[in-house]
Amino acid sequence: MRERTDKAPNEPGPGPQVSVRASNRRTKLNRTAVLAAGVVLLLAASILLGSYTVTIPDFFKILTAHLTGGEKIPGASFIVMEAKLPRAVIGTLIGLAFGLSGALFQTMLRNPLASPDVIGISYGASAAAVLAIVVFGASGAVVSGAALGGAMAVAALIYGISRSGSLGTGGGSRGNVAGSRLILAGVGIAAALHAMVSFLMTRADIRTAAEALIWINGSLNSASWDRAGVLVLTLLVLVPVAGLLAGPLRILELGDDAAAGLGIRVGATRLGLVLTAVALAAVATAAAGPVAFVAFLAGPIARRFTGRSSLPASALVGALIVLAADYFAANIAPLLLDGTVLPVGVVTGALGAPFLLWLLVTSNRKDA
C-alpha cells in the first residue's frame, strides 16, 4: 500500500509564517547590534577625542601601563585613566540603567509617560540630595547615598498610593486604572518635591546653592572609579533580574486577566518589576544625578528603531543618549558658549522637552 506523503491542497503549511517570524527576529537582532556598535563608537570617541585627543596606540599603552604598573606617560595617563575613561564608563552605565528602567516602567504600565523622570522618582533623589547638601553640608558619597534613599522612599510612597487602585491584583481594566493612578500620584509628588527643592535653594548660600544646582541637573564631572565600581556591581545583579522578568513582562502586556490565566502571579511580578526599575533608576541617579529624560526617551526611540519594544535596545539607546549628550556638553558646547561646560542633564533635558510635546501631539491625533 502506497503512503501518501503530499499535503492536502487546503492544508496550511507553517513555512511562510515561520520564515516571516524568523526574518523579523533577525531584523530586530541586527538593529540591536547596530545600537551596540554605536555605543562602542561613542565610547571610543569620548575617550580618544575632545579637548585632549589620544591616539589608539597611546590609549592601549596607557591602559596596559596602568594595569601592569608600567611606565606612565606624564599628563596623558592621568587625563585618560582618571578623567576621560571613568567619565565615559559611568556615562555608559547610567545610560544603560536609565534606559532599562524606563523601558520596564513603560512596558509594564503600557504608557509612554511612565518613566522615572515623570513619575517623581528622580525628583525624590534630587530632593534628598539637596536636603543633604544644604541642611547637613554633606558631599561625595553621602550625597549619593541620600539620593538613593530618597528615590527608594518616593517610589515606595507612589507604589503604596497606586496599590489602593489594585496595581498588583485584579483584571486588566483595574490594572490600567492603577497604572494611571501611579503616574498621577508620581506627578503630584514630583510637583511637591520640586517646590521643596526650590525652597531649599532659596535658603542656601550662593556657594552651596551652586553645588546643589550642578548636582540636580545631572553631571558626570565627579565621575570616579569608585562610583564606576559600585555601578558595575549593582548592574551585575539588576540586569540579570530584569532579564528573568522579561518573559513575564511580555505576558503582562496581554492584560492582567490573560496573564493570570497563563499562570503568571500578577501582583508578585509587578512588584518585582517595580523594585527592579526603581533600583536601576536610583543607582544611576546616585552616581550622576537625575540626568533628565534619558529613561523617558530611550524606550520610544528603541521601539521605533527596532519595530517593537525591546529591553536590550532600550538600554543601548539610553547609553547612546548619555554618551552623545555628554560629548556635546563637554566638547562642543564650550566652543559655542565661550568656554561654558554644560552638565549633561541640561542637554538631555533640552532633547526631552520637545520629544514630550511631540508625543502628546501625536497621541492626541491618534485619539481623535
CSV table of all heavy atoms in Angstrom, one decimal, residues 130-138 200-201 203-215:
chain,number,residue,atom,x,y,z
A,130,VAL,N,19.6,67.4,47.7
A,130,VAL,CA,19.7,68.9,48.0
A,130,VAL,C,19.5,69.1,49.5
A,130,VAL,O,20.2,69.9,50.1
A,130,VAL,CB,18.6,69.6,47.2
A,130,VAL,CG1,18.5,71.1,47.7
A,130,VAL,CG2,18.9,69.6,45.7
A,131,LEU,N,18.6,68.3,50.2
A,131,LEU,CA,18.5,68.4,51.6
A,131,LEU,C,19.8,68.1,52.3
A,131,LEU,O,20.2,68.8,53.3
A,131,LEU,CB,17.4,67.5,52.1
A,131,LEU,CG,17.0,67.5,53.6
A,131,LEU,CD1,16.4,68.8,54.0
A,131,LEU,CD2,16.1,66.3,53.9
A,132,ALA,N,20.5,67.0,51.9
A,132,ALA,CA,21.7,66.6,52.5
A,132,ALA,C,22.8,67.7,52.3
A,132,ALA,O,23.6,68.0,53.2
A,132,ALA,CB,22.2,65.3,51.9
A,133,ILE,N,22.8,68.3,51.1
A,133,ILE,CA,23.9,69.4,50.8
A,133,ILE,C,23.6,70.6,51.6
A,133,ILE,O,24.5,71.2,52.2
A,133,ILE,CB,23.9,69.6,49.3
A,133,ILE,CG1,24.4,68.4,48.5
A,133,ILE,CG2,24.8,70.8,49.0
A,133,ILE,CD1,24.3,68.5,47.0
A,134,VAL,N,22.3,71.1,51.5
A,134,VAL,CA,22.0,72.4,52.0
A,134,VAL,C,21.9,72.4,53.6
A,134,VAL,O,22.4,73.3,54.3
A,134,VAL,CB,20.7,73.0,51.4
A,134,VAL,CG1,20.3,74.3,52.1
A,134,VAL,CG2,20.9,73.2,49.9
A,135,VAL,N,21.2,71.4,54.1
A,135,VAL,CA,20.9,71.4,55.5
A,135,VAL,C,22.1,70.8,56.3
A,135,VAL,O,22.5,71.3,57.4
A,135,VAL,CB,19.6,70.7,55.8
A,135,VAL,CG1,19.3,70.6,57.3
A,135,VAL,CG2,18.4,71.4,55.1
A,136,PHE,N,22.6,69.7,55.8
A,136,PHE,CA,23.6,69.0,56.6
A,136,PHE,C,25.1,69.2,56.1
A,136,PHE,O,26.0,68.6,56.7
A,136,PHE,CB,23.3,67.5,56.6
A,136,PHE,CG,22.0,67.1,57.2
A,136,PHE,CD1,20.9,66.9,56.4
A,136,PHE,CD2,21.8,67.2,58.6
A,136,PHE,CE1,19.6,66.6,56.9
A,136,PHE,CE2,20.5,66.9,59.1
A,136,PHE,CZ,19.5,66.6,58.3
A,137,GLY,N,25.2,69.9,55.0
A,137,GLY,CA,26.6,70.2,54.5
A,137,GLY,C,27.3,68.9,54.0
A,137,GLY,O,28.5,68.9,54.0
A,138,ALA,N,26.5,68.0,53.5
A,138,ALA,CA,27.1,66.7,53.0
A,138,ALA,C,27.8,66.9,51.6
A,138,ALA,O,27.5,67.8,50.9
A,138,ALA,CB,26.0,65.6,52.9
A,200,LEU,N,14.6,75.0,49.4
A,200,LEU,CA,15.9,74.8,50.0
A,200,LEU,C,16.9,75.6,49.3
A,200,LEU,O,17.9,76.1,49.9
A,200,LEU,CB,16.2,73.3,49.9
A,200,LEU,CG,15.5,72.4,50.8
A,200,LEU,CD1,15.8,70.9,50.5
A,200,LEU,CD2,15.8,72.7,52.3
A,201,MET,N,16.8,75.8,48.0
A,201,MET,CA,17.8,76.6,47.2
A,201,MET,C,17.7,78.0,47.6
A,201,MET,O,18.8,78.7,47.6
A,201,MET,CB,17.5,76.4,45.7
A,201,MET,CG,17.7,75.0,45.2
A,201,MET,SD,19.5,74.5,45.1
A,201,MET,CE,20.0,75.4,43.7
A,203,ARG,N,17.1,79.1,50.5
A,203,ARG,CA,17.6,79.3,51.9
A,203,ARG,C,19.1,79.0,51.9
A,203,ARG,O,19.8,79.3,53.0
A,203,ARG,CB,16.9,78.3,52.8
A,203,ARG,CG,15.4,78.4,52.8
A,203,ARG,CD,14.9,79.7,53.4
A,203,ARG,NE,15.4,79.9,54.8
A,203,ARG,CZ,15.1,81.0,55.5
A,203,ARG,NH1,14.6,82.1,54.9
A,203,ARG,NH2,15.5,81.1,56.7
A,204,ALA,N,19.7,78.6,50.9
A,204,ALA,CA,21.2,78.2,50.9
A,204,ALA,C,22.0,79.4,50.5
A,204,ALA,O,21.6,80.3,49.8
A,204,ALA,CB,21.4,77.1,49.9
A,205,ASP,N,23.3,79.4,51.0
A,205,ASP,CA,24.2,80.5,50.5
A,205,ASP,C,24.6,80.2,49.1
A,205,ASP,O,24.4,79.1,48.6
A,205,ASP,CB,25.4,80.6,51.4
A,205,ASP,CG,26.2,79.3,51.4
A,205,ASP,OD1,27.0,79.1,50.4
A,205,ASP,OD2,26.0,78.4,52.3
A,206,ILE,N,25.2,81.2,48.4
A,206,ILE,CA,25.4,81.1,46.9
A,206,ILE,C,26.3,79.9,46.6
A,206,ILE,O,26.1,79.3,45.6
A,206,ILE,CB,25.9,82.4,46.4
A,206,ILE,CG1,25.9,82.4,44.9
A,206,ILE,CG2,27.3,82.8,46.9
A,206,ILE,CD1,26.1,83.8,44.2
A,207,ARG,N,27.3,79.7,47.4
A,207,ARG,CA,28.3,78.6,47.1
A,207,ARG,C,27.6,77.2,47.2
A,207,ARG,O,27.7,76.4,46.3
A,207,ARG,CB,29.5,78.7,48.0
A,207,ARG,CG,30.6,77.7,47.6
A,207,ARG,CD,31.8,78.0,48.4
A,207,ARG,NE,32.3,79.3,48.2
A,207,ARG,CZ,33.4,79.8,48.8
A,207,ARG,NH1,34.0,79.1,49.7
A,207,ARG,NH2,33.8,81.1,48.6
A,208,THR,N,26.9,77.0,48.3
A,208,THR,CA,26.2,75.8,48.5
A,208,THR,C,25.1,75.6,47.4
A,208,THR,O,24.9,74.5,46.9
A,208,THR,CB,25.5,75.7,49.9
A,208,THR,OG1,26.5,75.9,50.9
A,208,THR,CG2,24.9,74.4,50.1
A,209,ALA,N,24.4,76.6,47.1
A,209,ALA,CA,23.3,76.5,46.0
A,209,ALA,C,24.0,76.2,44.7
A,209,ALA,O,23.4,75.4,43.9
A,209,ALA,CB,22.6,77.9,45.9
A,210,ALA,N,25.1,76.7,44.4
A,210,ALA,CA,25.8,76.4,43.1
A,210,ALA,C,26.2,74.9,43.1
A,210,ALA,O,26.0,74.2,42.0
A,210,ALA,CB,27.0,77.3,42.9
A,211,GLU,N,26.7,74.4,44.2
A,211,GLU,CA,27.0,73.0,44.3
A,211,GLU,C,25.8,72.1,44.1
A,211,GLU,O,25.8,71.1,43.3
A,211,GLU,CB,27.7,72.6,45.6
A,211,GLU,CG,28.1,71.2,45.8
A,211,GLU,CD,28.6,70.9,47.1
A,211,GLU,OE1,28.9,71.9,47.9
A,211,GLU,OE2,28.8,69.7,47.5
A,212,ALA,N,24.7,72.5,44.7
A,212,ALA,CA,23.4,71.7,44.6
A,212,ALA,C,22.9,71.8,43.2
A,212,ALA,O,22.3,70.8,42.7
A,212,ALA,CB,22.4,72.2,45.6
A,213,LEU,N,23.0,73.0,42.6
A,213,LEU,CA,22.4,73.1,41.3
A,213,LEU,C,23.1,72.3,40.2
A,213,LEU,O,22.5,71.7,39.4
A,213,LEU,CB,22.5,74.6,40.8
A,213,LEU,CG,21.9,75.0,39.5
A,213,LEU,CD1,20.4,74.7,39.5
A,213,LEU,CD2,22.2,76.5,39.2
A,214,ILE,N,24.4,72.1,40.4
A,214,ILE,CA,25.2,71.3,39.4
A,214,ILE,C,24.7,69.8,39.6
A,214,ILE,O,24.5,69.1,38.6
A,214,ILE,CB,26.7,71.4,39.7
A,214,ILE,CG1,27.2,72.8,39.3
A,214,ILE,CG2,27.5,70.4,38.9
A,214,ILE,CD1,28.6,73.1,39.6
A,215,TRP,N,24.5,69.4,40.9
A,215,TRP,CA,24.2,68.0,41.1
A,215,TRP,C,22.8,67.7,40.6
A,215,TRP,O,22.6,66.7,39.9
A,215,TRP,CB,24.2,67.7,42.6
A,215,TRP,CG,24.2,66.2,42.8
A,215,TRP,CD1,25.3,65.4,43.0
A,215,TRP,CD2,23.1,65.4,43.0
A,215,TRP,NE1,24.9,64.1,43.2
A,215,TRP,CE2,23.5,64.1,43.1
A,215,TRP,CE3,21.7,65.6,42.9
A,215,TRP,CZ2,22.7,63.0,43.3
A,215,TRP,CZ3,20.8,64.6,43.1
A,215,TRP,CH2,21.3,63.3,43.3
